[in-house]
């Protein structure tokens, strides 16, 4: 089986796995314990916090370790709403946000919500965002990189608008951390989140950042861990392994981007024979993560195409793994204005560090064969 679903999750890096085992056996103490063994674990925890803060260009006091991106999104939004910059009960969100964002917003009582669509290039229209703002708007939440088509939203422009109107700005960095240099972007937002398993770290661990200038109130009362941000004994081994994976992937940002650009071009060439049946949803190169390709093949349901590819030994997907099993099309297809039937034709192909050019060619040729057999 050749894997093309790196946007869903990644294998654990071997060096990160070694760090996990070492931390589990040598730094096993509870980081909140006052004895020396607990102190060693606490020191490792704080070293990881400082290293990740340095990678992101933010104050380490704002970093909190979580169970992953979904929990990070939930707790960050709850924290921002506990300390709004001004009175109000209006929130603006991208229509194509991750399901964890939609989940936390749908449970809020007393708030009005405005969802922003994407333009034909898969980007938020800044003018539409500005028109959506009211005196009641207290929060904007927009995903940095879309998990299904890989478009990169204009964080700097959105931040500027939010600051002008005294609005908190949360951004989901799950698909951008480890793929894009974030040192200039991370300090701009009120909060962000990312997840370890998207960057060859362990599953079940991630980070949320809240600007230290914000005096938030905890969602979980009485929690003693992570300065009250979340309850539960801190998973120091997983945090150490995630930090090791983060250091490694951030060292390769430039070369990885160039390699993914080449692989993307290779896939485009290989499916050229069926281009009349294919629509690829993408932005200009400056606003596009090259490792994620979201597309439709006209007249063929994405789930069927995914199963056919699986039968031929290729793992692709029909969208975010957090939505698999639901019958509704990927949220990005709704944000792009596609009909439900068109949305069901969507598939996603995503590359990772082990993706080989010859495997991309094989996948493209397989898709061409499947489509030709289906159409004939």
């Amino acid at each position: 089986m050749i894997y093309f679903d790196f946007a869903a999750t990644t294998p654990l890096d071997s060096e990160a796995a070694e760090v996990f085992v070492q931390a589990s056996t040598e730094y096993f103490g509870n980081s909140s314990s006052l004895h020396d063994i607990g102190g060693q674990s606490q020191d490792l925890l704080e070293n990881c916090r400082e290293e990740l803060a340095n990678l992101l260009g933010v104050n380490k006091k704002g970093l909190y370790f979580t169970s992953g991106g979904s929990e990070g999104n939930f707790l960050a939004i709850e924290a921002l709403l506990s300390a709004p910059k001004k009175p109000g009960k209006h929130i603006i969100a991208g229509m194509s946000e991750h399901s964890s964002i939609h989940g936390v917003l749908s449970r809020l009582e007393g708030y009005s919500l405005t969802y922003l669509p994407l333009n034909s290039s898969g980007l938020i229209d800044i003018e539409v965002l500005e028109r959506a703002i009211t005196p009641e708007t207290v929060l904007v939440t927009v995903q940095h990189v879309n998990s299904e088509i890989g478009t990169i939203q204009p964080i700097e422009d959105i931040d500027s608008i939010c600051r002008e109107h005294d609005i908190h700005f949360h951004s989901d960095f799950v698909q951008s951390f480890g793929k894009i240099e974030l040192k200039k972007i991370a300090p701009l937002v009120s909060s962000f989140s990312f997840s370890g398993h998207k960057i060859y770290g362990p599953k079940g661990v991630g980070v949320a950042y809240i600007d230290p200038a914000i005096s938030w109130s905890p969602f979980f009362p009485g929690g003693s861990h992570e300065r009250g941000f979340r309850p539960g004994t801190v998973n120091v081994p997983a945090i150490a392994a995630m930090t090791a994976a983060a250091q490694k992937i951030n060292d390769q940002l430039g070369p990885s981007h160039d390699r993914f650009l080449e692989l993307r071009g290779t896939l485009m060439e290989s499916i050229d024979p069926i281009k009349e049946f294919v629509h690829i949803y993408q932005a200009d190169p400056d606003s596009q993560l090259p490792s994620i390709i979201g597309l439709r093949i006209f007249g063929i349901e994405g789930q069927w195409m995914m199963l056919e590819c699986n039968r031929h030994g290729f793992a692709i997907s029909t969208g975010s793994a957090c939505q698999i099993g639901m019958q509704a099309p990927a949220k990005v297809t709704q944000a792009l204005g596609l009909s439900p039937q068109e949305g069901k034709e969507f598939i996603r192909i995503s590359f990772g560090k082990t993706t080989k050019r010859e495997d991309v060619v094989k996948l493209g040729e397989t898709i061409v064969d499947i489509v030709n057999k289906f159409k004939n």
Side-chain angles (χ1 to χ4, degrees), residues 36 82 162 174 228 241 271 351:
D36 286 353
S82 76
C162 289
V174 166
I271 62 174
F351 307 139

Side-chain angles (χ1 to χ4, degrees), residues 62-285:
L63 284 186
Y64 303 92
F65 293 109
T66 68
S67 67
S70 293
E71 184 191 47
N73 283 333
F74 180 93
L75 292 178
I77 287 175
E78 289 286 353
L80 296 183
L81 293 179
S82 76
K85 292 185 176 183
K86 62 183 180 182
K89 291 283 187 176
H90 178 237
I91 298 171
I92 299 172
M95 194 182 292
S96 62
E97 295 299 294
H98 187 264
S99 57
S100 61
I101 296 288
H102 286 276
V104 64
L105 296 183
S106 66
R107 67 172 294 279
L108 296 175
E109 296 182 359
Y111 286 85
S112 61
L113 306 173
T114 299
Y115 290 102
L116 303 177
L118 301 177
N119 62 23
S120 59
S121 296
L123 299 173
I124 296 287
D125 189 318
I126 292 299
E127 293 182 359
V128 173
L129 168 61
E130 285 195 284
R131 288 198 296 271
I133 292 173
T134 76
E136 286 274 307
T137 308
V138 293
L139 173 68
V140 168
T141 176
V142 173
Q143 189 178 41
H144 187 198
V145 171
N146 183 271
S147 57
E148 286 145 348
I149 60 175
T151 48
I152 304 170
Q153 301 301 334
I155 297 299
E156 296 96 331
D157 295 340
I158 298 172
D159 169 71
S160 178
I161 292 168
C162 289
R163 288 180 186 274
E164 181 183 345
H165 294 276
D166 286 332
I167 298 170
H168 281 317
F169 178 25
H170 172 74
S171 189
D172 177 345
F173 282 3
V174 166
Q175 290 293 348
S176 58
F177 182 64
K179 290 126 183 174
I180 297 173
E181 176 59 67
L182 295 178
K183 276 192 173 181
K184 292 183 180 179
I185 294 173
L188 299 178
V189 300
S190 306
S191 64
F192 63 75
S193 64
F194 67 81
S195 187
H197 75 102
K198 304 288 189 179
I199 58 166
Y200 306 91
K203 293 174 175 63
V205 65
V207 164
Y209 169 83
I210 313 288
D211 182 344
I214 299 171
S215 298
W216 52 271
S217 299
F219 178 78
F220 295 104
S224 59
H225 297 282
E226 287 300 279
R227 304 193 297 284
F229 189 67
R230 69 186 294 266
T233 301
V234 179
N235 190 349
V236 175
I239 291 165
M242 174 179 66
T243 304
Q247 291 169 318
K248 191 170 181 178
I249 200 170
N250 272 273
D251 285 342
Q252 294 295 315
L253 286 179
S256 293
H257 181 270
D258 294 342
R259 192 172 69 86
F260 291 143
L261 270 179
E262 292 179 11
L263 293 175
R264 189 182 186 91
T266 297
L267 183 67
M268 302 300 186
E269 291 173 16
S270 65
I271 62 174
D272 189 67
I274 56 166
K275 62 182 179 182
E276 62 185 296
F277 303 121
V278 176
H279 185 94
I280 296 169
Y281 296 94
Q282 59 187 345
D284 293 334

